[in-house]
Amino acid sequence: MRKFKTESKKLLDLMINSIYTNKEIFLRELISNASDAVDKLNFKSLTDESMHVDQADLAIRVSFDRDARTITVSDNGIGMTAEELERNLGTIAHSGSEEFKTENAESQGDALDIIGQFGVGFYSAFMVAKRVRVVSRAFGEDEAHVWESDGLKGYTIEPGERAEHGTDVILTLRENVPGENGEEGENYDRYLSEWGLKDLIRRYSNYVRYPIQMMVTKSRQKPKPEDAGDDYKPEYEDYEELETINSMTPIWKKRREDVEDADYNEFYKSTFHDFEDPARTISFHAEGALEYDALLFIPGRAPFDLYSKDYEKGLALYSSNVMIMEKCADLLPDYYNFVRGVVDSADVSLNISRETLQQNRQLRAIARRIEKRVTSDLEDMRDNDREAYEKFFESFGRGLKYGIYASYGAKATELADLLLFWSAKEQKMITLAEYAKAMPEGQKAIYFAAGDDRDRLSKMPVVTGVLARGFDVLLCTQDVDEFTFQSMREYVARDMPKVYEDDAAREAAEKAVADGAEPELEDRHLELKNVATGDLDLASEDEKKEAEEASKEHADLFSAMKEALGDHVQKVAVSSRLVSADDAPACITTEGPLSLEMEKVLKRGPEGDIEGMPTAQRVLELNAKNPVFAKLAAAQEAGDADKVKLYAGLLYDQALLVEGILPEDPVAFAKNVCELM
């Protein structure tokens, strides 16, 4: 017996037990080696006129014998001599394929697509096999040779027989290992089935460029006997047929104009197990420092587990048509986790097991390009197929908003213009850019209201007050909306009509436009303001003066109401939002960064019941023009402290109900209403 070169026992044990994490890739590695052998012969035949090879006959054959517990991978490639068996299989980590690529680097072009790099893929067979036998006959040689090993101490090389050039790799599988102490055992029988092998071939090697063939069992109807009566029932029989299992030509390597949309749709549905066509298909080829093909799909609907912790994002990563990772998460940012597809590159630097990449910078470069293409395609859908985009956004918009929030606003530049919100004024979904374009002159902020119901929001006093002044309000009904806006802080509206500092500058600009000049444009920074928080500064000078006078005149009333409400409110004040008798008598607003809606969202979270959770600083704003205010003032003037306290509690609880918040003591609220009646 010959010993393995290098520190055989230690290195081989490392190959078998440490390098690979997934045992089922052994078939991928053996098929890749077989493909390389066929590729070498094909390439040699193209460069050497004395070699006559029928390319139509080049193929890889996979078979199994359940009784003998063997799996055989055969090819009719270039084969190996005894010396090459010694050099390629007897020396661990010696790659004959890599050596062949180097020798033919100048002339290989597209005719050669060698997969192997490290010379260790063959040894993955020992993860599932207790013995491996290799029978190989080199092209042009009359004699075959047999390499055999149990993967422990060494190997033998002896003369053998093979009818034609090529190589057979025969694995004798290990025995099943039962599970112990609740841990799962090893079931090697799963590889000894037609279905199991076909599944592995289609999953990992579906796009190897040569046919991968298997004898498969099929069923057919027997011919009807001539003497069969009217009650004859059809009979069926099983038969075996040689079938090509792999697709060979990857759809992502075909030119976009050469593929029908129906073909892309069928590939998407069959590969990603969706019953709906994708909303969008993106196919492109990148060249430069890294060359790769990408085929991406934006689904037509969200998968049921998209927002669950079990959902796995990622694109299938292929190298030279062989699948390396089923879901490479690093190719997609979290906010584009819904994108599905394939990236194939022969240039990426794989680790020795070909299960992950060695250089993350290569992955980052591909990921940046993919992100830009997805963003560009979504923008195109938004601008040219609004109905489809609104359907897309309904399914995946939450993730885009969360992308801004999770990045603390860093991704706002890329994502803000993809967001849609319901316009209370337009009664439809609009972008922030469309909101800005429709703003009346003098508006300096984008106004929004956050809650869980659009109809309720549209009727809230803080919303109707802003609408009455001619400003639109975005009605935000997802829990992430307000957090997103707080992360953004502002929105930069591009190419807005320039605002001039004085009348003279404006008149000069208008004259220039009248004389044929282009209107001046500017980027305008618009603050994002919640209509239920802070001072919106929408009141006119007269309204501000009236509110100030009312505050001074009824200071005692506000003080009494604040005392009656205690810590429930930060203060009681005259409202500059509610300015007419028809407006609501009171509303709740907040001071500081935390709004009532954010408080509700936090309380619904996993830590919502923890003591010390932050709460909104509430302000009870009173409408000094509403008849109720006159009743309050009269009670205060009459010295009826109990009535002032009763009215204060009722107005506060009523304002809470409008916000969708139950009073802290609903029984007391009902009792007070009945008392007034």
Side-chain angles (χ1 to χ4, degrees), residues 36-56 58 78 100 104 107-114 139 209-210:
D36 285 349
V38 176
D39 228 8
K40 292 174 189 176
L41 179 62
N42 185 31
F43 178 77
K44 286 287 188 182
S45 70
L46 296 175
T47 56
D48 186 348
E49 295 181 357
S50 65
M51 296 178 66
H52 301 288
V53 175
D54 187 349
Q55 294 188 4
L58 297 176
I78 200 164
F100 188 87
N104 297 277
S107 59
Q108 65 185 46
D110 294 332
L112 187 65
D113 190 17
I114 295 295
F139 184 86
R209 66 194 299 182
Y210 298 104

Side-chain angles (χ1 to χ4, degrees), residues 218-238:
K218 298 184 177 182
S219 181
R220 62 189 172 195
Q221 186 176 331
K222 291 182 178 180
K224 183 178 179 181
E226 294 181 2
D227 58 349
D230 295 337
D231 58 348
Y232 171 76
K233 293 182 179 179
E235 295 181 359
Y236 295 86
E237 63 179 357
D238 291 338

Side-chain angles (χ1 to χ4, degrees), residues 596-632:
L596 285 175
E597 187 60 28
M598 292 180 75
E599 179 185 298
K600 286 193 289 184
V601 172
L602 291 174
K603 284 185 175 180
R604 288 197 298 264
E607 299 179 351
D609 56 351
I610 295 178
E611 188 176 349
M613 280 288 291
T615 57
Q617 299 178 14
R618 303 178 183 186
V619 176
L620 179 63
E621 294 191 8
L622 302 178
N623 182 356
K625 297 287 184 68
N626 192 282
V628 170
F629 187 80
K631 294 282 187 181
L632 276 168

Side-chain angles (χ1 to χ4, degrees), residues 166-442:
T167 302
D168 301 325
V169 180
I170 304 114
L171 313 184
T172 302
L173 296 193
R174 299 169 182 261
E175 300 298 326
N176 294 334
V177 179
E180 295 181 357
N181 301 322
E183 293 187 4
E184 189 176 351
E186 290 289 351
N187 178 22
Y188 296 103
D189 286 352
R190 61 193 174 114
Y191 305 123
L192 293 170
S193 70
E194 180 183 305
W195 179 88
L197 292 176
K198 286 170 67 175
D199 177 61
L200 292 183
I201 292 169
R202 286 173 176 157
R203 193 187 316 171
Y204 292 104
S205 307
N206 196 35
Y207 304 107
V208 167
R209 66 194 299 182
Y210 298 104
I212 303 172
Q213 300 172 335
M214 275 184 67
M215 292 297 295
V216 298
T217 302
K218 298 184 177 182
S219 181
R220 62 189 172 195
Q221 186 176 331
K222 291 182 178 180
K224 183 178 179 181
E226 294 181 2
D227 58 349
D230 295 337
D231 58 348
Y232 171 76
K233 293 182 179 179
E235 295 181 359
Y236 295 86
E237 63 179 357
D238 291 338
Y239 69 102
E240 288 192 331
E241 181 176 279
L242 189 64
E243 183 178 282
T244 297
I245 307 301
N246 61 324
S247 300
M248 289 181 283
T249 305
I251 193 171
W252 57 81
K253 288 198 172 181
K254 297 178 180 179
R255 293 187 304 174
R256 182 69 173 88
E257 56 269 25
D258 294 337
V259 183
E260 299 287 340
D261 288 341
D263 295 329
Y264 279 132
N265 294 345
E266 185 57 37
F267 172 80
Y268 166 78
K269 288 188 286 190
S270 62
T271 304
F272 300 104
H273 311 295
D274 198 348
F275 58 84
E276 283 190 18
D277 290 340
R280 209 78 167 181
T281 299
I282 308 169
S283 176
F284 66 94
H285 174 78
E287 294 182 343
L290 269 176
E291 186 172 339
Y292 58 91
D293 296 282
L295 177 59
L296 313 174
F297 299 96
I298 296 173
R301 63 180 183 89
F304 69 93
D305 60 343
L306 178 63
Y307 296 110
S308 74
K309 63 180 181 180
D310 297 325
Y311 181 79
E312 290 184 66
K313 68 168 183 171
L315 302 176
L317 177 63
Y318 283 73
S319 181
S320 298
N321 298 351
V322 176
M323 190 175 79
I324 305 303
M325 299 175 69
E326 189 170 8
K327 288 188 177 180
C328 184
D330 293 337
L331 287 172
L332 288 173
D334 286 342
Y335 44 86
Y336 286 158
N337 64 349
F338 52 85
V339 177
R340 294 170 171 175
V342 173
V343 173
D344 190 343
S345 175
D347 294 337
V348 291
S349 301
L350 304 175
N351 74 346
I352 196 169
S353 68
R354 299 201 301 139
E355 291 180 295
T356 55
L357 295 182
Q358 285 182 323
Q359 300 183 36
N360 283 334
R361 68 176 182 272
Q362 292 179 323
L363 217 57
R364 286 194 294 269
I366 297 174
R368 284 194 297 269
R369 177 73 181 274
I370 287 173
E371 180 181 354
K372 289 180 180 179
R373 285 302 300 260
V374 172
T375 301
S376 174
D377 206 75
L378 290 177
E379 290 172 344
D380 180 73
M381 192 195 310
R382 176 200 64 200
D383 297 337
N384 299 307
D385 192 352
R386 190 54 169 262
E387 184 178 349
Y389 187 76
E390 290 187 12
K391 183 181 177 183
F392 153 80
F393 193 80
E394 185 178 351
S395 296
F396 304 109
R398 179 189 294 271
L400 304 184
K401 296 172 185 176
Y402 190 78
I404 295 176
Y405 168 64
S407 66
Y408 302 100
K411 286 294 178 180
T413 303
E414 292 87 347
L415 298 177
D417 283 325
L418 294 176
L419 304 184
L420 295 179
F421 300 96
W422 184 262
S423 162
K425 192 174 185 179
E426 301 288 339
Q427 289 293 295
K428 64 179 182 180
M429 299 294 284
I430 63 171
T431 65
L432 295 176
E434 290 165 347
Y435 179 102
K437 292 292 184 184
M439 290 191 313
E441 187 175 350

Side-chain angles (χ1 to χ4, degrees), residues 81-97:
T81 63
E83 291 75 16
E84 288 169 333
L85 284 170
E86 171 76 28
R87 185 168 66 251
N88 295 336
L89 303 186
T91 304
I92 298 172
H94 175 271
S95 174
S97 294

Side-chain angles (χ1 to χ4, degrees), residues 447 465-466 469 471 535-548 574-579:
Y447 301 111
V466 176
R469 297 176 183 276
F471 303 129
D535 182 10
L536 299 183
D537 195 25
L538 297 180
S540 64
E541 291 302 320
D542 290 342
E543 289 169 342
K544 289 178 182 178
K545 185 177 180 180
E546 288 179 5
E548 185 179 349
V574 173
S575 177
S576 60
R577 311 161 199 262
L578 310 175
V579 294

